[in-house]
Amino acid sequence: QPRRRSTPVVVIMAEQKTCTICFTDGPVTEGVCCPHAHYTCAECFDAHVRNEAGKDLALLAKCDGRILCPRNTAANTDADRCDAPHFPDKDIAAAVSNDTFEAYLDARSKLRERQVAEEMEAQMEARLQLERERAKRGAGKEEKLRVAKEHVIEHILTLACPRCKQAFVDFDGCFALKCSRCAAAFCAYCLADCGRDAHQHVGTCPEGQASVKAAKKQKGVGGRAIGNMPATVYGTKDAFDVAQKRRRCRYLALYLEKFDDEGQRELVDALASELKDLDIAEKDVRHWQKKEAKAMRDRAVAQSNAAARQAPR
């Protein structure tokens, strides 16, 4: 009988590509490619998804919690930066571990919860703004007093982030605060928005220096100079309370200047319960009114003298 010829075995090698993160060559079947064919090995892609899922919600919101190509980062120049769409969830699920995919889904869920909360807050603010506009157009004396009281409670008595207005409650001993919502760094003394880090500003804040002196005088407490940080950076809860009382009294005194004597009395009376809860007496408000009035007079005199010196003789 004639011999049968054996069929040759053809081995097809998978295409090799270089990983965009570790720069190691590997078969495309053992990793993922973005829609623009940028390859990431399986181990690096798992780490990439895990890292993205662990980011702050403010950063996740920039890409709607989705996973983009590792080459789509600020480190890449415009020419090298990948603008491919995000990876579909099914591709992520097939390429990463169960724990990593659960972390990714959890991050997206938290982001969505925050977005819903912000939408509700925006709707509430829109309704409040509508009420304020109605009050301005023709509301009586009682409505104007209500609007003024609401403004004082929301924007003066409540310690809040200067950027996104989220209320701040806890104090952990450091006057350089950071918002948990928008990551803004701000000063607990004067509420100045300091960008990403408030420590340098807090160390030289004039209001902080005045608060430390006041805390020592009133309660025998003050800031703590730790390491090379000034005494205004760290302090006790008592020192924090003194600083907040000063801030509230000062800004309330400045706001009251918008009203006549009768309007000032009515607003302070309307705020009696809120001020009592914050240990602010009417005499404290009057003291700061006199103090700010004197400061304004001093500034006016200084400006007048400066103008006189510059005038031609």
Side-chain angles (χ1 to χ4, degrees):
Q1 291 184 346
R3 273 179 154 184
R4 279 191 185 174
R5 294 184 181 180
S6 59
T7 304
V9 177
V10 179
V11 178
I12 301 175
M13 300 293 292
E15 181 186 359
Q16 298 281 310
K17 284 203 170 207
T18 303
C19 175
T20 57
I21 296 179
C22 68
F23 304 109
T24 302
D25 291 341
V28 293
T29 54
E30 296 181 9
V32 293
C33 290
C34 77
H36 287 181
H38 297 133
Y39 168 76
T40 307
C41 70
E43 184 177 351
C44 289
F45 187 70
D46 190 281
H48 173 60
V49 174
R50 194 164 55 249
N51 179 66
E52 292 295 302
K55 285 184 176 179
D56 184 86
L57 290 179
L59 295 175
L60 282 175
K62 293 181 178 180
C63 58
D64 196 31
R66 298 290 190 172
I67 303 300
L68 301 175
C69 175
R71 284 183 56 171
N72 190 348
T73 66
N76 296 102
T77 62
D78 291 341
D80 294 332
R81 191 165 184 169
C82 177
D83 60 356
H86 61 78
F87 288 97
D89 286 356
K90 63 180 182 61
D91 291 352
I92 298 173
V96 302
S97 65
N98 290 336
D99 290 343
T100 299
F101 189 64
E102 287 180 6
Y104 161 71
L105 293 179
D106 184 56
R108 292 205 62 205
S109 176
K110 290 179 179 177
L111 178 61
R112 182 55 188 155
E113 288 174 4
R114 191 183 102 163
Q115 290 171 338
V116 170
E118 289 177 347
E119 290 171 3
M120 294 177 64
E121 185 176 338
Q123 293 171 2
M124 178 63 71
E125 180 60 30
R127 287 196 291 269
L128 289 174
Q129 184 61 29
L130 182 60
E131 289 185 19
R132 296 187 190 104
E133 290 173 359
R134 287 174 179 169
K136 289 179 182 178
R137 283 197 296 266
K141 188 176 179 181
E142 185 178 337
E143 180 63 17
K144 291 180 180 179
L145 179 61
R146 186 193 68 79
V147 172
K149 178 181 177 181
E150 180 185 277
H151 174 86
V152 172
I153 293 173
E154 288 185 3
H155 301 288
I156 296 177
L157 301 185
T158 301
L159 174 59
C161 170
R163 193 179 301 175
C164 72
K165 308 306 177 186
Q166 173 171 265
F168 174 85
V169 184
D170 301 320
F171 176 71
D172 61 3
C174 181
F175 283 83
L177 306 180
K178 193 161 189 177
C179 178
S180 60
R181 176 192 286 175
C182 70
F186 61 100
C187 174
Y189 295 110
C190 66
L191 301 188
D193 188 336
C194 304
R196 294 184 177 180
D197 187 4
H199 288 84
Q200 183 175 358
H201 168 88
V202 171
T204 58
C205 178
E207 179 54 33
Q209 295 166 358
S211 291
V212 169
K213 291 180 182 178
K216 288 180 179 179
K217 183 178 179 181
Q218 295 176 26
K219 297 192 176 184
V221 298
R224 297 172 292 171
I226 299 177
N228 61 350
M229 291 290 184
T232 51
V233 177
Y234 299 103
T236 63
K237 182 64 168 59
D238 285 339
F240 177 77
D241 291 339
V242 169
Q244 292 313 305
K245 183 175 180 178
R246 284 174 56 86
R247 180 189 64 79
R248 288 167 174 140
C249 288
R250 178 170 181 252
Y251 284 106
L252 177 56
L254 291 171
Y255 183 72
L256 287 172
E257 292 300 314
K258 299 171 59 176
F259 303 88
D260 57 21
D261 291 344
E262 182 182 358
Q264 291 182 16
R265 285 193 300 271
E266 290 177 346
L267 181 54
V268 171
D269 289 344
L271 291 164
S273 176
E274 289 79 11
L275 295 178
K276 183 179 179 181
D277 291 342
L278 296 169
D279 192 30
I280 297 175
E282 185 175 347
K283 66 178 182 178
D284 297 322
V285 180
R286 301 305 174 200
H287 165 75
W288 275 92
Q289 282 186 289
K290 293 177 181 178
K291 189 172 182 177
E292 288 302 314
K294 181 179 182 302
M296 285 190 283
R297 288 195 299 270
D298 291 344
R299 284 194 294 270
V301 171
Q303 290 173 356
S304 177
N305 292 339
R309 287 193 297 269
Q310 295 176 0
R313 297 181 180 180

